[in-house]
Amino acid sequence: MKKLYALVDCNNFYVSCERMFDPSLHNKPVVVLSNNDGCIISRSEEAKALGIPMGESAYKARQVLEQNNVRVFSSNYTLYGDMSRRVMNVLSHFSPDVEIYSVDEAFLNLTTLLTNDIKQHAIKLRSTVQQRTGIPVSVGIAPTKTLAKLANRLTKKQKDKQGVVLLQEQEAIRHALKITAVGDVWGIGHRNARKLAAFGISTAWDLSQATDSFVKKHLTVVGLRTAKELRGEACLDMEMAPPAKRSICTSRSFGKALTSMDLIKEATASYASSCAAKLRRQRTCAGLLTVYLQSYPDKDEQVYYNSKTVMLPVATNSTLELVHYANLALQPLYRQGYHYKKSGVIVSELCAQDHAQMPLLDTIDREKHQRIMEVIDKVNARWGRGTLISAEQGVYAPEENHPWKMRSEMRSPRYTTHINEIMVVKS
């Protein structure tokens, strides 16, 4: 049976989430900023038309933003994550096999679809997502995942009004490959594109026609797989469960320069707690913990960066243990007089939770820790992340933000996950 994949991509996802709850943003230039309101990471079509580049510093773009009345938002990842979950839930009704590729993209396996009108099925999928979530999506369909990615890209390049491009016939695939730069092919990138240009390979079609030995020599076996996918030979299977990570890092820049060890400890404990929650979600434990601390560059002082790694006595995913060892690792890193910019926690040497080796003379009641962690995870899943935290992370009044948290001065309400920020309709 010939395979068939769809790549569903949410259009300007972060901006679309903002527009979903504020209709006044429609047909207006809108941008969303990264952590600490640093760079532009999502733009509406109207903002793109103004020439505002992706990744531009908000500070550098301030004049353009102000002159054109561009609406600017801090990133609202809580809202975006919940809207992503809703979109993926709708997609699951259109295929039994859905691979969530990123927060705004998913592959669907349409191989066993019981209809001959594939494009009509995709159009219905698109309208259903729009109707149930308010998020516009585009759909690319092809016999391989790489071609599906390419087809999806064409929906935006060609401004297809239906938002669907189907590459099934050989002539359609050939045309799509010839009008696509090789650097725009999924997995190639601009660095490899420059290398290929030296050999006269400038389009996806050129790459698909190169010999296997040439592609393997210059792009390794990964590039050869891409070339075969461009020829219509499916080499990438659906990944129904994401592979467990081999290390986990949580790191943030502070919202303002910190000099107080107490505040840095709170931030670092929060990052350790986040690592612990991620470990539990993928049912692994960490045997190694690294903490690092970095200062701001200043004309009167050198940049300071230092890190410390701790071998844990027993591999663990307990928030209480990881916060404890993160604090121990942090203390020798701190130097008075610096203005600190960020800290981070990395956990590694991961092993399956069920295979963590226990010592004979363990002093920790691990069953009790596990029960506490289960309660924390359930409460936070039900009532929102951060409902239950370790006291080391800092306890503040609800109206008072943690002093070290990222700047997020233009964040919209978390409409779907916080009861105090839900929309109120007045009659």
Side-chain angles (χ1 to χ4, degrees):
M1 182 182 294
K2 196 165 185 177
K3 295 184 177 179
L4 200 61
Y5 299 97
L7 188 275
V8 181
D9 182 25
C10 301
N11 301 340
N12 309 322
F13 181 54
Y14 294 169
V15 168
S16 296
C17 291
E18 300 293 349
R19 282 178 165 170
M20 171 60 199
F21 296 93
D22 186 351
S24 71
L25 299 176
H26 286 278
N27 303 317
K28 301 283 175 58
V30 182
V31 299
V32 175
L33 305 180
S34 63
N35 291 340
N36 271 327
D37 297 341
C39 301
I40 295 167
I41 57 171
S42 183
R43 303 163 296 163
S44 67
E45 294 300 326
E46 295 80 7
K48 292 176 188 175
L50 291 172
I52 299 171
M54 188 72 162
E56 178 75 306
S57 156
Y59 174 76
K60 287 183 179 177
R62 186 171 62 183
Q63 189 173 2
V64 176
L65 298 175
E66 290 177 352
Q67 286 177 346
N68 294 282
N69 296 318
V70 178
R71 295 289 303 274
V72 182
F73 290 88
S74 303
S75 46
N76 186 346
Y77 294 119
T78 306
L79 175 67
Y80 308 153
D82 187 59
M83 293 304 295
S84 172
R85 180 186 61 77
R86 293 170 188 233
V87 170
M88 300 307 168
N89 184 47
V90 176
L91 296 183
S92 67
H93 295 286
F94 287 85
S95 171
D97 300 330
V98 178
E99 174 191 334
I100 300 174
Y101 180 66
S102 67
V103 69
D104 61 346
E105 286 181 289
F107 285 103
L108 275 64
N109 187 348
L110 303 181
T111 305
T112 57
L113 199 63
L114 297 175
T115 176
N116 292 324
D117 198 340
I118 302 296
K119 190 161 185 176
Q120 195 57 40
H121 182 77
I123 292 171
K124 184 179 179 185
L125 176 155
R126 189 169 179 267
S127 64
T128 305
V129 173
Q130 173 94 48
Q131 182 185 34
R132 296 186 185 176
T133 68
I135 303 296
V137 300
S138 49
V139 187
I141 307 171
T144 70
K145 291 170 75 175
T146 302
L147 285 173
K149 264 275 199 184
L150 192 150
N152 193 290
R153 181 181 175 82
L154 291 179
T155 63
K156 288 145 186 160
K157 285 286 181 185
Q158 298 176 353
K159 306 293 183 188
D160 186 285
K161 291 182 179 177
Q162 292 181 321
V164 177
V165 167
L166 172 63
L167 296 180
Q168 201 168 20
E169 304 299 329
Q170 282 304 316
E171 189 54 39
I173 294 174
R174 184 196 301 263
H175 176 70
L177 293 177
K178 286 187 174 181
I179 63 172
T180 302
V182 71
D184 292 333
V185 173
W186 185 36
I188 295 298
H190 296 295
R191 191 173 173 182
N192 281 328
R194 284 196 296 272
K195 186 195 296 184
L196 292 170
F199 297 98
I201 295 177
S202 59
T203 67
W205 172 256
D206 296 336
L207 179 60
S208 70
Q209 297 304 299
T211 63
D212 287 358
S213 58
F214 172 86
V215 178
K216 190 174 181 182
K217 178 180 178 182
H218 295 284
L219 300 179
T220 74
V221 69
V222 177
L224 178 58
R225 203 159 51 206
T226 299
K228 288 184 175 180
E229 287 246 319
L230 291 176
R231 297 170 196 153
E233 181 182 342
C235 301
L236 301 173
D237 290 329
M238 297 286 284
E239 295 181 5
M240 304 313 295
K245 295 178 180 177
R246 289 186 287 185
S247 67
I248 293 172
C249 174
T250 303
S251 171
R252 302 277 188 278
S253 294
F254 305 136
K256 59 182 181 181
L258 296 183
T259 56
S260 162
M261 177 59 167
D262 288 340
L263 293 178
I264 296 171
K265 277 176 64 177
E266 288 180 6
T268 308
S270 180
Y271 306 152
S273 174
S274 175
C275 286
K278 292 174 183 175
L279 285 170
R280 292 196 294 274
R281 279 201 290 274
Q282 66 175 33
R283 297 187 60 78
T284 56
C285 292
L288 212 61
L289 179 144
T290 300
V291 173
Y292 70 86
L293 185 60
Q294 181 181 347
S295 73
Y296 273 102
D298 189 281
K299 61 181 181 181
D300 297 327
E301 60 188 41
Q302 292 183 331
V303 177
Y304 174 75
Y305 176 90
N306 207 347
S307 66
K308 186 171 180 59
T309 299
V310 176
M311 176 73 78
L312 303 176
V314 179
T316 181
N317 57 18
S318 164
T319 296
L320 303 179
E321 281 191 274
L322 290 178
V323 167
H324 170 72
Y325 287 107
N327 276 339
L328 289 182
L330 177 66
Q331 284 172 10
L333 303 181
Y334 179 76
R335 301 281 187 277
Q336 201 159 17
Y338 285 103
H339 293 80
Y340 289 102
K341 176 184 181 181
K342 71 188 296 187
S343 69
V345 175
I346 304 167
V347 291
S348 53
E349 296 288 328
L350 307 190
C351 63
Q353 179 177 294
D354 298 333
H355 297 157
Q357 191 168 5
M358 296 295 117
L360 286 174
L361 303 176
D362 196 4
T363 57
I364 303 290
D365 186 344
R366 299 195 180 277
E367 289 187 4
K368 184 178 180 181
H369 271 230
Q370 189 174 354
R371 291 197 299 274
I372 294 172
M373 295 305 112
E374 287 174 359
V375 170
I376 289 175
D377 291 341
K378 284 180 181 176
V379 170
N380 287 341
R382 177 70 178 84
W383 297 104
R385 190 166 53 181
T387 303
L388 283 182
I389 60 172
S390 159
E392 295 279 358
Q393 295 172 237
V395 180
Y396 297 88
E399 65 276 7
E400 185 181 356
N401 205 349
H402 293 65
W404 44 267
K405 281 208 167 178
M406 292 183 300
R407 282 196 304 275
S408 194
E409 295 166 349
M410 294 164 284
R411 181 179 61 74
S412 55
R414 294 159 290 187
Y415 298 101
T416 59
T417 56
H418 282 247
I419 192 70
N420 294 333
E421 298 178 18
I422 197 169
M423 294 188 82
V424 177
V425 178
K426 297 179 180 178
S427 60

